[in-house]
Amino acid sequence: MPEGHVIHRLAAELGAAFAGRPVRVSSPQGRFAAAAAGLDGAKLTAAEAYGKHLFIEFDARVIHLHLGLIGKLRWVAPGPVLNPATLRLLISDGRQVVELRGPQTCELITVAERDAVVAGLGPDPLRADADPQLAWQRVHRSSRPIAALLMDQRIAAGVGNIYRCEVLFRAGVHPELPGTELTEGTWALLWRDLVELMPLGVRDGRIDTVREAESPERTGRPPRVDRHGGEVYVYRRAGDDCLVCGRGISVRQLSGRSLYWCENCQPPR
DNA sequence: GCGTGATGTTGAA
DNA sequence: TCAACCTCACGCC
């Protein structure tokens, strides 16, 4: 259940473990078996993330992964395969083993097809080549709420529900403010916050957004770490007290996803 | 044990 | 706007 930071972290781990070396590739479940057999023993040349998409490259052949909501790519101990019925992909050099279950996408594509996927994505705050102006061009022309725009991968790649809720809170922006009413300065603030926060997510493997001033160490309150592993202001804290103003955190469904915000710290307009 | 929701996206209505 | 998809951990008996 990953946002972009998880995918970038996985890409770095895969590269460190396997890049430049031959690997065993298999698909115990069978759904990727033919492609896996063709790659088995090939040299893994690179692993790269763009937004929530992960590309594992074997020279001109590319495994395109997207974990979706429930997919998992994780390192496991070498040894007998557990639950092969759901094991879509297994990559190993004998010492290090990574397994993929429940992905939304696991396909073998060409470099040109990889480039086409990337071309459909907006700038990724985790990539040095990202141009926030491209995102702003799309944001300020849209009447959709900023909370929806932040989740749109054609606008900003890699941002998910936690980061969108948290950066809106940290900027004091009401989630339903239309893109057309956002100032360029506010967009720059949101973007800079993503650029600041997401690398920390890659580094730590969890999303922490609470500033020093509201940290448990400073305030003496007990830490409240979400199941995803991080300390946050609003995400999945509906009904709890706002860490800044003390009022209850609100939640509602917005385009099928739970949106969390503080009505007091993020007033309309 | 069972039901549900979850850091996501797609495609149909 | 809604259902479908893929898996699994958690809460509640």
Side-chain angles (χ1 to χ4, degrees), chain A residues 57-166:
Chain A
E57 310 195 356
F58 300 75
D59 291 312
R61 293 175 292 174
V62 181
I63 297 178
H64 173 214
L65 298 186
H66 192 298
L67 296 184
L69 187 58
I70 63 173
K72 287 191 176 60
L73 184 65
R74 55 191 170 194
W75 299 95
V76 298
V81 165
L82 299 174
N83 302 320
T86 60
L87 183 45
R88 183 76 59 87
L89 175 67
L90 192 66
I91 301 178
S92 169
D93 63 1
R95 287 187 309 115
Q96 295 175 284
V97 184
V98 67
E99 62 170 39
L100 171 72
R101 298 179 196 266
Q104 172 165 120
T105 304
C106 174
E107 59 180 359
L108 187 61
I109 63 175
T110 64
V111 169
E113 288 167 330
R114 187 269 318 271
D115 292 344
V117 171
V118 171
L121 298 171
D124 177 346
L126 281 169
R127 294 185 60 98
D129 56 13
D131 178 4
Q133 271 299 316
L134 291 177
W136 169 243
Q137 291 307 317
R138 289 170 172 157
V139 164
H140 89 278
R141 293 192 178 110
S142 173
S143 59
R144 296 163 62 209
I146 184 59
L149 296 171
L150 276 171
M151 293 278 282
D152 185 337
Q153 300 299 294
R154 294 166 300 183
I155 290 176
V159 179
N161 199 13
I162 304 178
Y163 280 120
R164 71 111 175 230
C165 291
E166 294 298 309

